[in-house]
Amino acid sequence: GAGVSQSPSNKVTEKGKDVELRCDPISGHTALYWYRQSLGQGLEFLIYFQGNSAPDKSGLPSDRFSAERTGGSVSTLTIQRTQQEDSAVYLCASSVTQGVYEQYFGPGTRLTVT
Amino acid sequence: GNSVTQMEGPVTLSEEAFLTINCTYTATGYPSLFWYVQYPGEGLQLLLKATKADDKGSNKGFEATYRKETTSFHLEKGSVQVSDSAVYFCALAKGTASKLTFGTGTRLQVTL
């Protein structure tokens, strides 16, 4: 079946604009994770969903970042008033359920804030 | 908090050489340990994992053993190939959420 997909693959935006990044997890996977990969910070966890609930938002770097998940499937990560330090590759992963199961990663969205 | 430290790269080896990439971790309790690989132009893929002390994870000729006494999970391969050229990430996960905490990644370049 299809893997995790993310859109757009690349996004260039001006500082101060809002952006939305989309993740389509593997069908039937109830756990969904967002990570960020940047040169300065490496790979870091942002937020985790189990179903439509987000029990762990501890990695969101500021209140400009938010995420939601609807229907236990698609998730959207929104960054408001983007800053240059938000430039990174945003990765989404899904897992069959919460717990120590393999996380399957999408190809990522490369965000560049100019 | 939890953290993972892995050797800095890049690591450059000739084909058929022996590979070791060191990884140590800091965590309370008993995390699960992982190696992920990112091939050029591709997404992160799970390479192998171990969920308890003394477990050995293995895949595609790669091995790593969960050593609690030294808090380590070193990646090894007896004979690398050019196709193994990639970035390798050591990671740990704990608890119900099992969010991954990654090391900084080690780039491996294998030449003929």
Side-chain angles (χ1 to χ4, degrees):
Chain A
V4 178
S5 61
Q6 294 185 243
S7 60
S9 55
N10 279 286
K11 176 72 176 178
V12 180
T13 190
E14 292 180 353
K15 178 181 171 181
K17 301 283 190 184
D18 297 353
V19 295
E20 285 190 352
L21 312 180
R22 176 187 170 106
C23 171
D24 277 275
I26 292 172
S27 177
H29 280 194
T30 63
L32 186 148
Y33 304 79
W34 283 98
Y35 297 89
R36 180 167 73 171
Q37 187 172 23
S38 59
L39 281 176
Q41 302 297 322
L43 264 163
E44 52 181 349
F45 165 80
L46 297 178
I47 186 170
Y48 150 68
F49 288 90
Q50 176 58 35
N52 292 333
S53 300
D56 191 342
K57 307 177 184 180
S58 62
L60 294 178
S62 76
D63 58 8
R64 296 185 296 104
F65 288 71
S66 63
E68 65 175 11
R69 189 179 185 194
T70 54
S73 180
V74 171
S75 176
T76 303
L77 177 69
T78 301
I79 308 173
Q80 296 179 309
R81 305 180 302 282
T82 51
Q83 304 294 312
Q84 287 189 330
E85 61 263 28
D86 300 335
S87 296
V89 177
Y90 290 81
L91 297 171
C92 176
S94 71
S95 178
V96 62
T97 188
Q98 61 187 9
V100 185
Y101 297 96
E102 179 173 356
Q103 293 184 24
Y104 294 84
F105 282 80
T109 294
R110 181 175 297 278
L111 175 67
T112 303
V113 181
T114 61
Chain B
N2 301 330
S3 67
V4 175
T5 302
Q6 61 181 106
M7 64 188 288
E8 289 192 22
V11 173
T12 303
L13 294 173
S14 299
E15 199 170 46
E16 299 183 1
F18 184 86
L19 168 72
T20 300
I21 301 178
N22 290 337
C23 171
T24 58
Y25 68 89
T26 301
T28 56
Y30 300 91
S32 294
L33 301 173
F34 305 83
W35 278 99
Y36 276 81
V37 58
Q38 190 169 35
Y39 296 104
E42 298 185 18
L44 273 170
Q45 305 172 24
L46 178 66
L47 180 60
L48 53 83
K49 72 176 185 182
T51 58
K52 60 182 188 296
D54 300 325
D55 266 4
K56 178 185 285 188
S58 61
N59 186 24
K60 298 182 181 180
F62 290 89
E63 293 183 341
T65 301
Y66 187 163
R67 302 285 189 200
K68 185 157 179 63
E69 62 276 13
T70 53
T71 62
S72 65
F73 193 55
H74 304 322
L75 182 68
E76 296 182 336
K77 186 175 186 183
S79 176
V80 294
Q81 305 299 309
V82 171
S83 57
D84 294 327
S85 298
V87 181
Y88 292 82
F89 293 90
C90 185
L92 68 80
K94 276 194 61 184
T96 303
S98 288
K99 61 189 180 185
L100 292 164
T101 299
F102 287 93
T104 52
T106 302
R107 181 175 300 277
L108 170 66
Q109 182 71 44
V110 181
T111 59
L112 289 171

